[in-house]
Amino acid sequence: LADALVRTKGTRGTRSPGSPHVGSALCALKAMDELTRMLFRLGRHFGGQLDAAASLFAMRSSLLSYNATEPVIDRAKVIRLGWCLKESDHLKVFRRRWLVLSRQKLCTFKLDGGDYTQPTSSIDMSNAVCSATSSTTIVVRELANKGSSHESPLKVLCLRFSDGVECRAWLTVLHECISAQDAPRANQVAMWESLYHTKD
């Protein structure tokens, strides 16, 4: 395994526009090819290794079928979109971004009307919380473990809108999405609690 990784280190392939994951996928394919050859060579002495080689080929085919240009948001499922100012993670300066919300994701893009394949940032709405910090600013956090007593944010989006009306409209729809995601989780917890009490 170590030899295979060393041989493929640095062979990340050419990254084409709109395909940010092509390099890492090619690197993984090269590593799998090398590992498969090693396992087949070992298989001459240890027959069981042939099964492992076969499983690697199955993983390889799934990687080959991966489409790195697949949109992160389905246009048909977009709930709201519009321009905002997003605070950058490191420099803490606000940049103009196209904000797109679906039930599953909140994403920002540099341009509007694109194919939604290269977000500058994204939040998983199933683990999101949001609050208004001013009349025109919303902070959205993606938590590592929603519902935990020690909720640590994985990602934070600070979004500034043109006026209070736009900000309140976004805050309302964000709360609706979060509530829709929380409802199934709450129902599942209630079901397990009822089963537990029934067992007692």
Side-chain angles (χ1 to χ4, degrees):
L1 175 60
D3 288 342
L5 292 176
V6 168
R7 293 179 192 180
T8 56
K9 188 175 182 181
T11 58
R12 292 184 173 276
T14 303
R15 181 180 293 186
S16 59
S19 305
H21 306 297
V22 168
S24 57
L26 288 176
C27 185
L29 287 174
K30 289 177 182 293
M32 284 186 179
D33 286 344
E34 185 65 24
L35 285 170
T36 302
R37 284 192 288 270
M38 289 167 57
L39 287 171
F40 272 121
R41 286 196 296 269
L42 288 171
R44 296 172 184 174
H45 307 286
F46 307 100
Q49 299 297 330
L50 293 175
D51 294 333
S55 66
L56 278 174
F57 269 120
M59 293 174 64
R60 189 185 195 281
S61 62
S62 65
L63 270 174
L64 284 171
S65 63
Y66 172 73
N67 183 6
T69 61
E70 184 178 353
V72 294
I73 289 184
D74 184 350
R75 283 184 176 277
K77 297 181 180 179
V78 171
I79 297 171
R80 188 178 179 86
L81 42 76
W83 288 106
C84 72
L85 296 175
K86 175 192 167 290
E87 186 180 44
S88 62
D89 294 334
H90 304 294
L91 298 178
K92 301 302 179 184
V93 296
F94 282 88
R95 296 189 175 98
R96 194 167 186 252
R97 291 291 182 259
W98 184 247
L99 188 62
V100 181
L101 174 67
S102 71
R103 291 290 181 190
Q104 290 75 34
K105 285 185 179 293
L106 176 68
C107 297
T108 59
F109 300 87
K110 289 185 178 180
L111 301 173
D112 64 329
D115 53 8
Y116 298 156
T117 58
Q118 290 184 298
T120 60
S121 59
S122 66
I123 290 283
D124 180 0
M125 294 303 292
S126 64
N127 288 315
V129 294
C130 71
S131 60
T133 57
S134 74
S135 61
T136 58
T137 306
I138 297 173
V139 175
V140 186
R141 296 177 176 86
E142 181 180 332
L143 304 178
N145 184 17
K146 194 169 184 180
S148 170
S149 57
H150 302 287
E151 297 177 341
S152 56
L154 294 174
K155 302 175 187 175
V156 178
L157 293 187
C158 183
L159 308 170
R160 184 175 292 170
F161 298 91
S162 57
D163 53 50
V165 174
E166 182 74 2
C167 183
R168 286 193 296 274
W170 271 100
L171 187 63
T172 298
V173 74
L174 284 168
H175 279 151
E176 289 174 353
C177 284
I178 292 170
S179 297
Q181 294 284 349
D182 287 345
R185 184 186 290 111
N187 292 338
Q188 188 176 32
V189 170
M191 179 189 71
W192 283 111
E193 286 180 345
S194 64
L195 288 173
Y196 177 78
H197 291 306
T198 302
K199 184 177 179 180
D200 289 346

